[in-house]
Amino acid sequence: AYTWFTPIFTTKTMEVIRGPGSALYGSNATNGVIQMNTLKAADLDKSIYAKLSFSGSDNTARREFMTGSTSGDYDFIMAYSFHETNGNDYTSYDGSGRLSGSLLADGTPQASKFTVSNNANESYLWAKFSVGDNWQVQYHRQEWGFDTGHGWVFWIPDFDDEMNESRDIFSVKYNANINEQWSQEYVMRYQKHDITWLTRFYPDDAFDGFYLSGMWEYLDTDAEDIFGRAQFTYLFSDESNATFLAGIE
């Protein structure tokens, strides 16, 4: 998922791991990894956590909610986060050469200014079910919508763009010790990524009427992937401080 707006309030600890030890987290992490360990219901001081911030500057607001329940070895927790903002809305010149019809003091034609729209919103739904320290099932639903700000190189759009993305991620993990030295871990993850972009490249009558109704591009697509990993770890004696790791993805 996009990590730059992953909710931080669901995180119990965060670690930065560099060097060969990061290989514990798979072949894509051999140069280092940032590990976010999420909370369990047993970590919550209260059964319900909620935080609401009403519209402030730039019509910015955030809402967070988390709850959980635990019984014996069973632990369930879920959280939801929503954020919206008008962003940095302002008027600006662009490189299109469009004129306002008025003149500067020296008689030079005045270029037109247009509103730069920078609206954005994102939401994140997360749920985790754990059985002891062995089984873990997670679901992530991430949505993101935004405008293109200053537009496409030279033309500020005359309509708000509809740029929307979403990701659904479902994962199952099992890990256990085989004996004092051997341990095993298995992970399966399914992900679907949806993209719907309605992009406004040129306004009405662009290029002296060449595009009478402007120019749009509409993209509606999705991608799915399945990821799996089986991994085994062997711990040598405490004196050697050495670990052997092998797996297949």
Side-chain angles (χ1 to χ4, degrees):
Y2 293 122
T3 54
W4 66 83
F5 56 81
T6 298
I8 298 298
F9 75 102
T10 62
T11 302
K12 182 178 181 180
T13 61
M14 185 176 295
E15 300 174 73
V16 179
I17 304 171
R18 299 180 176 89
S22 62
L24 178 67
Y25 300 97
S27 58
N28 291 326
T30 52
N31 291 327
V33 64
I34 298 176
Q35 178 182 243
M36 295 174 63
N37 297 306
T38 51
L39 294 164
K40 289 186 175 182
D43 299 315
L44 301 180
D45 294 330
K46 300 179 180 179
S47 58
I48 296 179
Y49 161 87
K51 180 180 179 181
L52 304 176
S53 62
F54 297 95
S55 296
S57 60
D58 299 322
N59 197 31
T60 299
R62 179 179 294 276
R63 300 163 185 87
E64 297 175 348
F65 170 84
M66 181 164 53
T67 186
S69 176
T70 181
S71 176
D73 288 337
Y74 300 100
D75 188 288
F76 176 76
I77 187 171
M78 66 176 296
Y80 178 77
S81 174
F82 177 78
H83 172 252
E84 63 181 349
T85 181
N86 286 345
N88 187 19
D89 283 348
Y90 60 97
T91 58
S92 174
Y93 300 108
D94 64 9
S96 64
R98 290 174 285 181
L99 302 177
S100 64
S102 59
L103 300 176
L104 297 175
D106 61 359
T108 304
Q110 172 72 52
S112 295
K113 279 189 172 183
F114 303 92
T115 300
V116 175
S117 183
N118 197 30
N119 299 328
N121 63 82
E122 61 259 3
S123 65
Y124 205 114
L125 173 66
W126 166 71
K128 181 173 69 173
F129 177 70
S130 306
V131 181
D133 295 325
N134 301 121
W135 285 97
Q136 188 179 102
V137 180
Q138 292 197 58
Y139 173 69
H140 299 252
R141 167 71 180 182
Q142 188 178 49
E143 295 181 337
W144 180 37
F146 62 97
D147 290 336
T148 56
H150 203 279
W152 301 92
V153 185
F154 297 117
W155 298 76
I156 295 177
D158 55 343
F159 289 94
D160 288 345
D161 296 313
E162 289 289 337
M163 316 293 283
N164 299 302
E165 298 190 31
S166 67
R167 289 177 184 245
D168 290 281
I169 302 173
F170 180 81
S171 67
V172 180
K173 184 177 78 169
Y174 173 79
N175 61 280
N177 293 327
I178 300 174
N179 53 43
E180 292 185 355
Q181 292 178 297
W182 282 100
S183 63
Q184 58 187 336
E185 180 181 290
Y186 307 94
V187 177
M188 287 292 296
R189 186 196 69 200
Y190 166 80
Q191 179 178 204
K192 184 178 180 183
H193 184 188
D194 288 288
I195 298 177
T196 305
W197 287 351
L198 183 59
T199 309
R200 179 72 164 174
F201 284 110
Y202 299 121
D204 294 344
D205 297 320
F207 299 108
D208 297 324
F210 186 83
Y211 292 110
L212 292 177
S213 300
M215 181 180 177
W216 300 85
E217 180 178 86
Y218 180 68
L219 173 68
D220 186 2
T221 186
D222 62 79
E224 297 175 274
D225 69 80
I226 296 176
F227 171 83
R229 182 171 75 235
Q231 185 169 283
F232 299 89
T233 305
Y234 181 80
L235 302 177
F236 292 89
S237 63
D238 295 337
E239 293 78 12
S240 67
N241 196 30
T243 302
F244 174 75
L245 182 71
I248 183 171
E249 296 180 349

